[in-house]
Every structure is written in C-alpha cells, then in structure tokens.
Amino acid sequence: MMNGAPVDTHAPGHDVASSISRNGFTITTQKLPILKAGPIDEMHKKLGITPPEMIFGDNFARIEHAASGWNIDFNAFDALDRVDKTGDSMLKVSYSKEWQQNRQKQFEDIKEVVKPFDWSYSTDYKGSTAGPPFRPSEKPIPLALLKRPDPILFFDDVILYEDELADNGIAMLSCKIRVMPARLLLLTRFFMRLDDVVFRIRDTRVFVEFATGEVIREYTAREEKYEVVRKTLAGTKEDVLAIMRDPNRLAQYIPVVEQSLENAVLQ
C-alpha cells in the first residue's frame, strides 16, 4: 500500500524537520542522526529497559489538524514504552540471558540491574494521539483511491529504532508517509525476524481524506513460526533468504493474528 515516490517528489532532508499542509492538515517529519550516549542513558532511565542498538530518538512523523486540535505522532520513545517490561512476553530462547549480559555492559555507568523485558522490542504502537478520539469502525481504507496515479506531493521514510538481536535477526520500527493532492497514507511498521524462532509484522496505517476530514486507522498484526515460513518459501521458486529480509514480500506468507479498524471525522 506504500508505493515508492517518483524522482521529482519532495523528499525531506536528514537535518531539519520538513512539512507540508493540505486542507487544514499539516504533515511533519524529522530525521536526525542516531542518539548519542547521554540521551540514550536518559531514555534508558525513563523507559526502564535497555534501548535498542540504534535509536533515533529525535525522529518523528506527525499529522495535525489545527481546527479540531487533533494530531497523531509516531516517535521512538512512545513506541518503546509499549514494549512489555515485565518479561512475561520475553521470547524463551537459549541466548536471551547472554544477550542481556552483553547489553548490560554497554551501560556500565548505570548502576541498575537490567530487568527482564521483551528484548525483541515488539510493540503494538499505533501512534500517540490528542484531540477527538478514534472510534471502532468497520470501514476499511479505500484501496481503490490509493491505487490512482495521483501525483505524490510529499514522501518520507523515517526510521525510529533498529536492533540486530545479538546477531540473531532484526527488529525495526519505521514510518513511511506519502501525501497526494486529496489524501494521505502513513504506514508505521514493526518488523521482527528472530532466526529459527519467529517472524512478526505489525502495521499501523493511517489514511486521511482531506475534503471530508475523515481519518481511518487500521492495525494489522501478523505472526508465524520461523520454520513454518521457511518451509512455505522453500516450496516456491523465490529467493528464500531475500524474502526473509523483506517484510513487503514476506507479509503474504505470514497469517494475520490481530486486526482492528477505527475512524474519526474532524471538523
């Protein structure tokens, strides 16, 4: 659902926030370098868990509607705050203890003991909202409108965090947004591949129709055991290893385990 942008599309730079306004909606993104030690330590203390290897704490994607006071914001801190901090959801694999010990060494100046938590950084983050709330809905995102060859006025791809899970896979949260003359689509995706264990893809899509002020939020979670996916792919003529690294191609091989639809009409 998130197409690549054409060459002449405005793509924001990596050092400042960039924005575009359409019909009362303002879309803003910011991409800055990876956080340094000081801000990472501060985030660690506030979150209560060890942050991922690569944390882009100053990055964000935001949609605002000034007239209604509504906005939705996607950022690393709030996403990580949704990670299970009790350890109840922690994946039970042989190297989890070793991973905890290795990561603790990176924060030797912090005297707290590393507490159990979901070290795969799996999050069900759907964005941080303010203003008129979303309501449960059955109206899906209108795919036909998104397939139109409308010009893309603004496109950005913002990474929020990434971790290689002690060289045993990947966990990454990123946000893509494209703005057309009459509507926009934002996709925030959590992708996790834990080798020999599990695949997870958790997508939050936010669709806005500018003329009506309607906002639709769709959340879809997919999950399957690693070996099940590997066997399925082995029966195809596809490049198995390449697909395992590409959530766009991988999604069709992983079943949906949770889905929800919500909407809000802003005035």
Side-chain angles (χ1 to χ4, degrees), residues 97-128:
K97 184 176 181 180
E98 178 185 355
W99 181 92
Q100 287 270 24
Q101 292 172 343
N102 289 340
R103 294 305 294 277
Q104 187 173 3
K105 293 176 183 177
Q106 299 178 22
F107 298 88
E108 291 178 349
D109 56 327
I110 298 175
K111 304 305 180 183
E112 299 173 330
V113 175
V114 176
K115 300 174 183 177
F117 70 97
D118 180 5
W119 52 271
S120 73
Y121 298 106
S122 296
T123 181
D124 61 356
Y125 183 54
K126 303 178 182 69
S128 308

Side-chain angles (χ1 to χ4, degrees), residues 158-170:
V158 181
I159 185 167
L160 298 178
Y161 65 77
E162 183 175 343
D163 195 287
E164 294 185 350
L165 306 180
D167 294 325
N168 289 286
I170 187 76

Side-chain angles (χ1 to χ4, degrees), residues 75-96:
N75 65 82
F77 182 89
D78 289 347
L80 289 168
D81 206 28
R82 296 287 304 171
V83 172
D84 171 47
K85 301 175 185 179
T86 66
D88 292 343
S89 301
M90 189 162 56
L91 294 164
K92 308 299 183 184
V93 292
S94 60
Y95 46 78
S96 62

Side-chain angles (χ1 to χ4, degrees), residues 51 70 72 90 199 256 259:
W70 178 90
I72 187 166
M90 189 162 56
F199 285 97
V256 174
Q259 192 164 35

Side-chain angles (χ1 to χ4, degrees), residues 12-65:
H14 291 261
D15 54 352
V16 294
S18 187
S19 67
I20 185 173
S21 295
R22 298 289 298 178
N23 294 68
F25 286 88
T26 300
I27 299 90
T28 308
T29 60
Q30 177 168 282
K31 293 195 288 190
L32 290 172
I34 192 170
L35 286 186
K36 296 183 179 180
I40 289 177
D41 291 349
E42 187 66 24
M43 181 175 285
H44 179 207
K45 293 174 184 177
K46 290 181 178 178
L47 286 172
I49 63 174
T50 305
E53 291 170 328
M54 290 181 282
I55 178 77
F56 296 85
D58 294 320
N59 288 6
F60 66 83
R62 181 182 302 132
I63 306 169
E64 301 172 89
H65 185 257

